[in-house]
Amino acid sequence: MSLSDAARAARENAYAPYSNFKVGAALRTPSGAVFSGCNVENVAYPEGTCAEAGALAAMVAAGETKLSEVYVIADSLEPVTPCGGCRQKLAEFGAPDLKVTMATTAGREKSMTLAELLPGAFSQSHMDNT
Ligand code: THU
């Protein structure tokens, strides 16, 4: 299944009664496997989770921890960009040159690397103090 199709399908199941903004995400790993997720909101608003977080959780639950490509889709005028927190979550498992494609349901797409989306990402090396 293409990442686009997987993300679109996951988006259909998004639970977004508060924002009414459904998002779908799909990830491919080096093994070729595809994992998808959708946003899951909560009446206690900060407890809601993004589509990217759901897809990453599915990947890790399946025993994989490397990303080779990411796709995010929403019904927006401009391709939807991952929030700041999700950029850092993607950086946990993706290299700086990871391709992230952002899309609209109408078919607009824009691709950027993770390094472009999150310059200066916090990393393990920042915790070195010797
Ligand atoms: N959202 C995502 O799931 N991913 C993004 O990349 C941007 C925002 C969700 C969070 C919330 O449920 C809704 O979109 C509105 O912010």
Side-chain angles (χ1 to χ4, degrees), residues 4 7 9 34 55 96 98 101 104 126:
S4 168
V34 171
L98 175 72
T101 299
T104 70
H126 291 107

Side-chain angles (χ1 to χ4, degrees), residues 16 19 21 23 38-41 49-52 72 80-83 86:
S19 71
F21 188 69
V23 184
C38 59
N39 52 333
V40 180
E41 297 185 345
T49 50
C50 287
E52 295 89 332
V72 187
V80 63
T81 66
C83 77
C86 284

Side-chain angles (χ1 to χ4, degrees), residues 6-79:
R8 272 179 192 274
R11 180 185 165 277
E12 294 297 325
N13 293 330
Y15 178 77
Y18 305 106
S19 71
N20 288 311
F21 188 69
K22 294 184 167 199
V23 184
L27 323 166
R28 194 184 307 283
T29 64
S31 74
V34 171
F35 300 97
S36 58
C38 59
N39 52 333
V40 180
E41 297 185 345
N42 191 280
V43 65
Y45 293 175
E47 299 305 325
T49 50
C50 287
E52 295 89 332
L56 286 169
M59 175 188 80
V60 173
E64 301 220 35
T65 54
K66 293 269 182 295
L67 295 170
S68 53
E69 201 177 340
V70 176
Y71 195 101
V72 187
I73 190 165
D75 183 15
S76 49
L77 293 176
E78 297 292 324

